[in-house]
Amino acid sequence: MSAQSKTFPHPNPPPRAGEGDERAARQSPSLPPRAGEEPAPEALLIGGARRADGGGLERIEWMKIRQDFPILQRKVHGKPLVYLDSANTSQKPRQVIEAVDAFYREHNANVSRAVHQLGEEATALYEGARTRLAAFIGANHRDEIVLTSGTTMATNLVAYSYLLPRLKPGDAVLVTAMEHHADIVPWQLICKSTGAHLKVAPINEAGELIVDKFIEALTPEVKFAGVVHVSNVLGTVNPVKELARECRKRGIPLLVDGSQAAPHLPLDVKSIGCDFYCVTGHKMCGPTGTGALWARRELLEAMPPFFGGGEMIKTVSFEGTTFADSPRRFEAGTPNIAGFAGLVAAIDYLSGIGMANVAAREHELLEYATPRLQAIPGMRIFGSAPGKAAVVSFLVDGVHAHDLATLLDQEGVAVRSGHHCAHPLMQFYGVAATCRASLAFWNTEAEIDAFVDAIGRVRKLLA
Ligand code: C6P
């Protein structure tokens, strides 16, 4: 019997053939009813408002979903926590916390090594994460998923395994002006050692990619392009399908950094048409140190290993080594098995809510927050692309971003301040840092009010 077909008691075991991904998530009492089930009357409320259910969205009781997140009950500096830093790392529902706990209590062993029961259980959980991630992002096959520690590891894997052997002097890598450092620095390192260079497609003041300029920049020396799907600073959702189509016409492989898209939007890498897609588990309600690279199978199969060690080989002798097939030849050493057990639960959790519902709720919260923030005197918001994700970067006249974030923290409000690992974007706007509030589906209108009121108090304090 293979490890994957084995059954054992676990709050969120990986699916067996024919089992739906939503099964474990449905264990949550706060999740929406299945199609055909009668919703409880109180489940018709969405964050206090009633939604006309015309768009095929399920009716979700968001206030009950919120109760799945134990950390939201705590106080910070004596005030109720208002966590607006989900783009940095998301909070975790109890289902994820319990899955990690259950892993160490009941299943802890190393993966793919031991034939004993615990080893098989640990392997099944780890491989379950690969299966779940493949389904979650719309991959054709689970073997297109390399499990990594996050997006940073994924882009570095592509840089060293795919790009390094291919670039030569005079070649170029195209990125956009809104990239995170994880989608700049790895390419720069490879450019430095190959004599290639970086090209940058510009954005406009609203924080939108100038698509015509991106297409114009796809000249013959460009051998690779990297684009963020959703900007972590601006919330801009890039037209990745169109960009992929243009890259494909010219035979240029495109990597899409989906770190900020996977937690907030329904995804289908097949329909995007890109070549590589990266996700990071800790922004998707999952544990830190988990994530994945998706790549077209033919690309992965042609890529050499990036680093070597245990579990990525077929044979080793002092004369030489033969390597395991992809994706395992990219997964040397002991991975974050407990983390991936938690990621299984996280993906089940998000799938149970439905990513279209997550996106709709977060859009509703953004629509609530934006005019209230804009009404604050001296407020400057960075990024106003239509259809942007629920991220608001801002500055208040005369107040340093770090001072504002520190004083908001005293009010129990957690926002991020700094360059957000996007130095070039800060340079574009001519600022050293911004404050950033990033919303999640479990935030509330009341929290947004508390945040806006807290900014008002901080302004008065500093006036
Ligand atoms: N952004 C933020 O506060 P890792 O660290 O590998 O999990 O993710 C890196 C990363 C890559 N791309 C984008 C678009 C990202 O937003 C991030 C992480 C955090 O915005 C920390 S800088």
Side-chain angles (χ1 to χ4, degrees):
M1 184 190 275
S2 81
Q4 268 155 271
S5 63
K6 198 122 193 166
T7 56
F8 52 89
H10 186 275
N12 279 305
R16 283 169 291 163
E19 273 186 336
D21 263 7
E22 292 191 3
R23 178 201 48 186
R26 296 263 175 210
Q27 292 165 355
S28 169
S30 54
L31 292 178
R34 288 169 199 273
E37 275 175 13
E38 202 51 47
E42 69 277 11
L44 298 176
L45 288 178
I46 303 170
R50 215 168 262 272
R51 181 193 294 285
D53 207 6
L57 297 175
E58 292 186 76
R59 293 172 175 184
I60 296 176
E61 205 179 353
W62 293 108
M63 291 309 285
K64 267 200 174 170
I65 294 239
R66 184 179 165 80
Q67 286 163 20
D68 288 333
F69 292 79
I71 204 166
L72 302 179
Q73 304 305 317
R74 72 161 284 184
K75 292 196 167 175
V76 169
H77 306 303
K79 311 269 171 52
L81 169 66
V82 176
Y83 188 79
L84 303 178
D85 200 17
S86 292
N88 204 346
T89 195
S90 66
Q91 294 303 349
K92 322 301 176 203
R94 65 177 167 73
Q95 290 84 342
V96 170
I97 298 165
E98 284 166 9
V100 174
D101 183 78
F103 176 79
Y104 284 122
R105 284 180 192 279
E106 297 169 35
H107 313 297
N108 181 44
N110 211 331
V111 290
S112 312
R113 286 163 196 186
V115 293
H116 56 69
Q117 178 67 24
L118 294 187
E120 290 205 6
E121 291 173 8
T123 303
L125 282 163
Y126 179 68
E127 292 299 330
R130 198 187 310 278
T131 308
R132 293 297 210 288
L133 277 162
F136 192 71
I137 67 168
N140 270 320
H141 197 278
R142 61 193 302 283
D143 282 351
E144 295 171 344
I145 303 286
V146 182
L147 297 177
T148 67
S149 61
T151 290
T152 304
M153 181 66 199
T155 53
N156 278 276
L157 167 56
V158 175
Y160 284 91
S161 177
Y162 182 81
L163 214 47
L164 183 60
R166 286 172 175 79
L167 283 193
K168 52 184 195 326
D171 286 346
V173 173
L174 179 65
V175 295
T176 80
M178 67 175 88
E179 296 308 311
H180 184 278
H181 296 166
D183 194 30
I184 301 173
V185 182
W187 322 134
Q188 272 177 335
L189 289 168
I190 299 305
C191 285
K192 201 164 176 201
S193 55
T194 58
H197 61 280
L198 213 58
K199 272 178 95 172
V200 184
I203 61 171
N204 62 24
E205 194 63 26
E208 294 162 295
L209 177 66
I210 305 173
V211 174
D212 289 349
K213 296 274 183 203
F214 180 92
I215 295 170
E216 244 172 59
L218 291 171
T219 48
E221 85 270 20
V222 173
K223 297 297 185 309
F224 185 86
V227 168
V228 73
H229 193 167
V230 175
S231 161
N232 64 321
V233 180
L234 307 165
T236 306
V237 182
N238 279 316
V240 286
K241 217 168 170 165
E242 183 183 356
L243 305 181
R245 194 174 55 237
E246 294 300 328
C247 286
R248 209 155 185 75
K249 271 190 212 163
R250 295 161 179 80
I252 299 170
L254 176 70
L255 176 141
V256 177
D257 172 353
S259 308
Q260 302 289 352
H264 307 291
L265 304 175
L267 282 181
D268 182 36
V269 288
K270 286 193 297 295
S271 83
I272 293 173
C274 58
D275 299 280
F276 300 97
Y277 197 93
C278 311
V279 298
T280 201
H282 70 98
K283 298 187 200 293
M284 303 163 54
C285 294
T288 52
T290 62
L293 169 71
W294 168 84
R296 288 184 189 284
R297 213 161 172 190
E298 64 274 17
L299 294 179
L300 267 190
E301 278 169 6
M303 283 161 56
F306 165 35
F307 51 72
E311 283 312 310
M312 47 77 76
I313 53 90
K314 276 184 182 148
T315 61
V316 179
S317 73
F318 287 119
E319 286 66 48
T321 295
T322 58
F323 300 110
D325 294 334
S326 62
R328 284 157 200 87
R329 70 164 165 269
F330 304 110
E331 295 174 9
T334 301
N336 179 3
I337 311 164
F340 283 107
L343 189 60
V344 166
I347 292 175
D348 284 344
Y349 185 81
L350 289 174
S351 304
I353 297 171
M355 293 310 293
N357 294 314
V358 165
R361 175 61 181 149
E362 290 177 354
H363 179 71
E364 196 169 59
L365 289 167
L366 180 68
E367 297 269 282
Y368 184 86
T370 305
R372 286 164 176 79
L373 288 166
Q374 279 167 334
I376 296 172
M379 171 64 65
R380 178 179 176 196
I381 293 179
F382 299 82
S384 55
K388 67 178 265 191
V391 171
V392 188
S393 284
F394 63 96
L395 281 175
V396 177
D397 267 357
V399 187
H400 193 282
H402 290 310
D403 293 342
L404 186 51
T406 305
L407 290 167
L408 287 174
D409 177 58
Q410 294 300 311
E411 301 267 351
V413 179
V415 296
R416 184 173 172 190
S417 60
H419 53 65
H420 314 293
C421 300
H423 265 152
L425 187 56
M426 297 295 116
Q427 285 153 17
F428 171 81
Y429 283 109
V431 296
T434 70
C435 272
R436 183 192 64 188
S438 47
L439 304 168
F441 55 89
W442 41 260
N443 284 125
T444 65
E445 283 80 357
E447 286 185 310
I448 292 166
D449 290 342
F451 165 50
V452 170
D453 291 350
I455 297 177
R457 283 194 292 279
V458 169
R459 279 189 69 249
K460 275 198 196 127
L461 198 73
L462 296 175

Short mmCIF file of all heavy atoms in Angstrom, two decimals, residues 74-85 394 401-417 435 450-451 454-455 457-458 461:
data_model
loop_
_atom_site.label_atom_id
_atom_site.label_comp_id
_atom_site.label_asym_id
_atom_site.label_seq_id
_atom_site.Cartn_x
_atom_site.Cartn_y
_atom_site.Cartn_z
N ARG A 74 -7.05 38.24 21.43
CA ARG A 74 -6.12 38.83 22.40
C ARG A 74 -6.11 40.35 22.36
O ARG A 74 -6.61 40.98 21.43
CB ARG A 74 -4.71 38.27 22.24
CG ARG A 74 -3.96 38.71 21.03
CD ARG A 74 -2.48 38.49 21.22
NE ARG A 74 -1.91 39.51 22.11
CZ ARG A 74 -0.63 39.62 22.39
NH1 ARG A 74 0.24 38.74 21.92
NH2 ARG A 74 -0.17 40.59 23.16
N LYS A 75 -5.55 40.90 23.44
CA LYS A 75 -5.41 42.36 23.50
C LYS A 75 -3.95 42.72 23.31
O LYS A 75 -3.05 41.94 23.65
CB LYS A 75 -5.91 42.86 24.85
CG LYS A 75 -7.41 42.67 24.97
CD LYS A 75 -7.99 43.49 26.09
CE LYS A 75 -9.51 43.48 25.92
NZ LYS A 75 -10.21 44.13 26.99
N VAL A 76 -3.72 43.92 22.79
CA VAL A 76 -2.37 44.44 22.62
C VAL A 76 -2.34 45.81 23.28
O VAL A 76 -3.18 46.66 22.95
CB VAL A 76 -2.01 44.54 21.12
CG1 VAL A 76 -0.73 45.32 20.91
CG2 VAL A 76 -1.88 43.14 20.51
N HIS A 77 -1.42 46.00 24.21
CA HIS A 77 -1.36 47.24 25.00
C HIS A 77 -2.74 47.56 25.61
O HIS A 77 -3.19 48.72 25.60
CB HIS A 77 -0.87 48.42 24.14
CG HIS A 77 0.43 48.15 23.46
ND1 HIS A 77 1.58 47.82 24.13
CD2 HIS A 77 0.77 48.13 22.14
CE1 HIS A 77 2.57 47.62 23.28
NE2 HIS A 77 2.11 47.80 22.07
N GLY A 78 -3.41 46.53 26.04
CA GLY A 78 -4.70 46.72 26.72
C GLY A 78 -5.88 46.98 25.77
O GLY A 78 -7.00 47.16 26.23
N LYS A 79 -5.61 47.00 24.47
CA LYS A 79 -6.68 47.27 23.49
C LYS A 79 -6.94 46.01 22.67
O LYS A 79 -6.03 45.21 22.45
CB LYS A 79 -6.26 48.40 22.53
CG LYS A 79 -5.70 49.64 23.18
CD LYS A 79 -6.82 50.63 23.46
CE LYS A 79 -6.37 51.81 24.31
NZ LYS A 79 -5.20 52.54 23.86
N PRO A 80 -8.18 45.86 22.18
CA PRO A 80 -8.43 44.69 21.31
C PRO A 80 -7.53 44.77 20.08
O PRO A 80 -7.36 45.84 19.49
CB PRO A 80 -9.91 44.86 20.89
CG PRO A 80 -10.49 45.85 21.84
CD PRO A 80 -9.37 46.71 22.35
N LEU A 81 -6.93 43.64 19.73
CA LEU A 81 -6.05 43.59 18.55
C LEU A 81 -6.85 43.86 17.28
O LEU A 81 -7.90 43.25 17.04
CB LEU A 81 -5.40 42.20 18.45
CG LEU A 81 -4.66 41.89 17.14
CD1 LEU A 81 -3.43 42.80 16.97
CD2 LEU A 81 -4.24 40.43 17.08
N VAL A 82 -6.33 44.80 16.49
CA VAL A 82 -6.87 45.02 15.13
C VAL A 82 -5.72 44.68 14.19
O VAL A 82 -4.79 45.46 14.02
CB VAL A 82 -7.34 46.48 14.94
CG1 VAL A 82 -7.79 46.70 13.49
CG2 VAL A 82 -8.47 46.81 15.91
N TYR A 83 -5.75 43.48 13.62
CA TYR A 83 -4.62 43.02 12.82
C TYR A 83 -4.83 43.37 11.36
O TYR A 83 -5.70 42.80 10.69
CB TYR A 83 -4.44 41.50 12.99
CG TYR A 83 -3.18 40.99 12.34
CD1 TYR A 83 -1.94 41.15 12.97
CD2 TYR A 83 -3.22 40.36 11.09
CE1 TYR A 83 -0.77 40.69 12.37
CE2 TYR A 83 -2.05 39.91 10.49
CZ TYR A 83 -0.83 40.07 11.14
OH TYR A 83 0.33 39.61 10.55
N LEU A 84 -4.03 44.33 10.88
CA LEU A 84 -4.13 44.78 9.48
C LEU A 84 -2.78 44.58 8.79
O LEU A 84 -2.29 45.47 8.09
CB LEU A 84 -4.55 46.25 9.45
CG LEU A 84 -5.87 46.60 10.16
CD1 LEU A 84 -6.14 48.11 10.09
CD2 LEU A 84 -7.04 45.84 9.54
N ASP A 85 -2.20 43.40 9.00
CA ASP A 85 -0.89 43.12 8.42
C ASP A 85 -0.87 41.74 7.76
O ASP A 85 0.15 41.04 7.80
CB ASP A 85 0.20 43.23 9.51
CG ASP A 85 1.59 43.43 8.93
OD1 ASP A 85 1.69 43.79 7.73
OD2 ASP A 85 2.57 43.21 9.66
N PHE A 394 -0.14 54.01 2.69
CA PHE A 394 -0.50 55.43 2.88
C PHE A 394 0.54 56.17 3.72
O PHE A 394 1.35 55.54 4.42
CB PHE A 394 -1.87 55.54 3.56
CG PHE A 394 -1.91 54.94 4.96
CD1 PHE A 394 -1.73 55.74 6.09
CD2 PHE A 394 -2.11 53.58 5.14
CE1 PHE A 394 -1.74 55.20 7.36
CE2 PHE A 394 -2.12 53.03 6.41
CZ PHE A 394 -1.95 53.83 7.53
N ALA A 401 6.24 57.39 8.68
CA ALA A 401 5.54 56.10 8.62
C ALA A 401 5.80 55.25 9.87
O ALA A 401 4.86 54.64 10.42
CB ALA A 401 5.97 55.34 7.37
N HIS A 402 7.05 55.23 10.33
CA HIS A 402 7.37 54.38 11.49
C HIS A 402 6.72 54.93 12.77
O HIS A 402 6.26 54.16 13.62
CB HIS A 402 8.88 54.25 11.69
CG HIS A 402 9.53 53.42 10.61
ND1 HIS A 402 9.07 52.18 10.26
CD2 HIS A 402 10.61 53.67 9.83
CE1 HIS A 402 9.82 51.69 9.29
NE2 HIS A 402 10.76 52.57 9.00
N ASP A 403 6.70 56.27 12.89
CA ASP A 403 6.05 56.87 14.07
C ASP A 403 4.57 56.53 14.07
O ASP A 403 3.99 56.17 15.10
CB ASP A 403 6.21 58.40 14.07
CG ASP A 403 7.66 58.81 14.26
OD1 ASP A 403 8.44 57.96 14.71
OD2 ASP A 403 8.01 59.96 13.93
N LEU A 404 3.96 56.64 12.90
CA LEU A 404 2.53 56.35 12.79
C LEU A 404 2.25 54.89 13.16
O LEU A 404 1.35 54.59 13.96
CB LEU A 404 2.08 56.66 11.35
CG LEU A 404 0.61 56.56 11.02
CD1 LEU A 404 -0.24 57.36 12.01
CD2 LEU A 404 0.34 57.07 9.60
N ALA A 405 3.06 53.99 12.61
CA ALA A 405 2.83 52.56 12.89
C ALA A 405 3.07 52.26 14.38
O ALA A 405 2.34 51.46 14.98
CB ALA A 405 3.75 51.71 12.03
N THR A 406 4.06 52.92 14.97
CA THR A 406 4.36 52.69 16.39
C THR A 406 3.20 53.19 17.26
O THR A 406 2.79 52.50 18.21
CB THR A 406 5.67 53.41 16.78
OG1 THR A 406 6.69 52.98 15.89
CG2 THR A 406 6.08 53.11 18.21
N LEU A 407 2.69 54.36 16.92
CA LEU A 407 1.59 54.91 17.73
C LEU A 407 0.29 54.12 17.50
O LEU A 407 -0.50 53.93 18.43
CB LEU A 407 1.41 56.40 17.44
CG LEU A 407 2.58 57.25 17.98
CD1 LEU A 407 2.55 58.65 17.42
CD2 LEU A 407 2.57 57.29 19.51
N LEU A 408 0.10 53.65 16.27
CA LEU A 408 -1.09 52.81 16.02
C LEU A 408 -0.99 51.52 16.82
O LEU A 408 -1.99 51.00 17.33
CB LEU A 408 -1.23 52.51 14.52
CG LEU A 408 -1.71 53.69 13.65
CD1 LEU A 408 -1.67 53.31 12.16
CD2 LEU A 408 -3.12 54.11 14.04
N ASP A 409 0.22 51.00 16.93
CA ASP A 409 0.41 49.78 17.73
C ASP A 409 -0.03 50.01 19.18
O ASP A 409 -0.63 49.13 19.81
CB ASP A 409 1.88 49.36 17.67
CG ASP A 409 2.15 48.14 18.53
OD1 ASP A 409 1.50 47.10 18.30
OD2 ASP A 409 2.98 48.23 19.46
N GLN A 410 0.26 51.20 19.70
CA GLN A 410 -0.17 51.52 21.07
C GLN A 410 -1.70 51.49 21.19
O GLN A 410 -2.24 51.30 22.26
CB GLN A 410 0.33 52.92 21.49
CG GLN A 410 1.85 53.02 21.62
CD GLN A 410 2.40 52.05 22.66
OE1 GLN A 410 1.90 51.98 23.78
NE2 GLN A 410 3.42 51.28 22.28
N GLU A 411 -2.36 51.66 20.06
CA GLU A 411 -3.84 51.63 20.03
C GLU A 411 -4.36 50.22 19.72
O GLU A 411 -5.56 50.02 19.49
CB GLU A 411 -4.35 52.59 18.94
CG GLU A 411 -3.93 54.03 19.12
CD GLU A 411 -4.97 54.84 19.89
OE1 GLU A 411 -6.07 54.31 20.13
OE2 GLU A 411 -4.67 55.98 20.27
N GLY A 412 -3.43 49.28 19.62
CA GLY A 412 -3.82 47.89 19.32
C GLY A 412 -3.91 47.57 17.85
O GLY A 412 -4.28 46.46 17.46
N VAL A 413 -3.56 48.58 17.00
CA VAL A 413 -3.71 48.40 15.55
C VAL A 413 -2.36 48.01 14.94
O VAL A 413 -1.39 48.77 15.03
CB VAL A 413 -4.22 49.70 14.89
CG1 VAL A 413 -4.36 49.51 13.37
CG2 VAL A 413 -5.56 50.12 15.50
N ALA A 414 -2.30 46.84 14.31
CA ALA A 414 -1.05 46.35 13.72
C ALA A 414 -1.04 46.63 12.22
O ALA A 414 -1.81 46.04 11.46
CB ALA A 414 -0.90 44.85 13.96
N VAL A 415 -0.21 47.62 11.80
CA VAL A 415 0.01 47.85 10.37
C VAL A 415 1.52 47.74 10.14
O VAL A 415 2.30 47.83 11.08
CB VAL A 415 -0.47 49.25 9.91
CG1 VAL A 415 -1.97 49.40 10.04
CG2 VAL A 415 0.26 50.37 10.64
N ARG A 416 1.91 47.55 8.90
CA ARG A 416 3.34 47.50 8.61
C ARG A 416 3.81 48.87 8.15
O ARG A 416 3.08 49.56 7.43
CB ARG A 416 3.63 46.46 7.53
CG ARG A 416 5.11 46.32 7.28
CD ARG A 416 5.51 45.20 6.35
NE ARG A 416 6.93 45.35 6.08
CZ ARG A 416 7.61 44.67 5.17
NH1 ARG A 416 6.99 43.76 4.45
NH2 ARG A 416 8.89 44.87 4.99
N SER A 417 5.03 49.23 8.53
CA SER A 417 5.63 50.45 7.98
C SER A 417 7.00 50.08 7.45
O SER A 417 7.64 49.14 7.92
CB SER A 417 5.76 51.53 9.05
OG SER A 417 6.58 51.06 10.10
N CYS A 435 3.17 53.50 5.38
CA CYS A 435 2.42 52.59 6.27
C CYS A 435 1.54 51.75 5.36
O CYS A 435 1.12 52.22 4.29
CB CYS A 435 1.51 53.37 7.20
SG CYS A 435 2.32 53.87 8.70
N ALA A 450 -12.15 51.47 13.97
CA ALA A 450 -11.18 51.63 15.06
C ALA A 450 -9.84 52.12 14.51
O ALA A 450 -9.18 52.99 15.11
CB ALA A 450 -11.00 50.29 15.79
N PHE A 451 -9.45 51.60 13.36
CA PHE A 451 -8.19 51.99 12.70
C PHE A 451 -8.25 53.47 12.29
O PHE A 451 -7.33 54.26 12.58
CB PHE A 451 -8.03 51.05 11.49
CG PHE A 451 -7.01 51.44 10.47
CD1 PHE A 451 -5.71 51.79 10.81
CD2 PHE A 451 -7.34 51.40 9.10
CE1 PHE A 451 -4.78 52.12 9.84
CE2 PHE A 451 -6.41 51.73 8.12
CZ PHE A 451 -5.13 52.09 8.49
N ALA A 454 -8.16 55.67 15.26
CA ALA A 454 -6.81 55.68 15.87
C ALA A 454 -5.90 56.62 15.10
O ALA A 454 -5.10 57.35 15.70
CB ALA A 454 -6.24 54.26 15.90
N ILE A 455 -6.00 56.63 13.77
CA ILE A 455 -5.17 57.57 12.98
C ILE A 455 -5.53 59.01 13.39
O ILE A 455 -4.65 59.86 13.58
CB ILE A 455 -5.37 57.39 11.46
CG1 ILE A 455 -4.91 56.00 11.01
CG2 ILE A 455 -4.58 58.45 10.68
CD1 ILE A 455 -5.13 55.72 9.52
N ARG A 457 -6.60 60.08 16.27
CA ARG A 457 -6.02 60.38 17.60
C ARG A 457 -4.51 60.63 17.47
O ARG A 457 -3.96 61.53 18.10
CB ARG A 457 -6.30 59.25 18.57
CG ARG A 457 -7.74 59.26 19.11
CD ARG A 457 -7.89 58.35 20.31
NE ARG A 457 -7.76 56.94 19.96
CZ ARG A 457 -8.72 56.19 19.44
NH1 ARG A 457 -9.91 56.72 19.19
NH2 ARG A 457 -8.52 54.91 19.16
N VAL A 458 -3.85 59.80 16.64
CA VAL A 458 -2.41 59.96 16.46
C VAL A 458 -2.10 61.31 15.83
O VAL A 458 -1.16 62.01 16.24
CB VAL A 458 -1.84 58.79 15.60
CG1 VAL A 458 -0.40 59.07 15.18
CG2 VAL A 458 -1.92 57.46 16.35
N LEU A 461 -2.32 63.95 18.44
CA LEU A 461 -1.20 63.82 19.37
C LEU A 461 0.05 64.49 18.81
O LEU A 461 0.82 65.13 19.52
CB LEU A 461 -0.92 62.32 19.58
CG LEU A 461 -0.11 61.89 20.77
CD1 LEU A 461 -0.96 62.04 22.02
CD2 LEU A 461 0.31 60.42 20.60
#
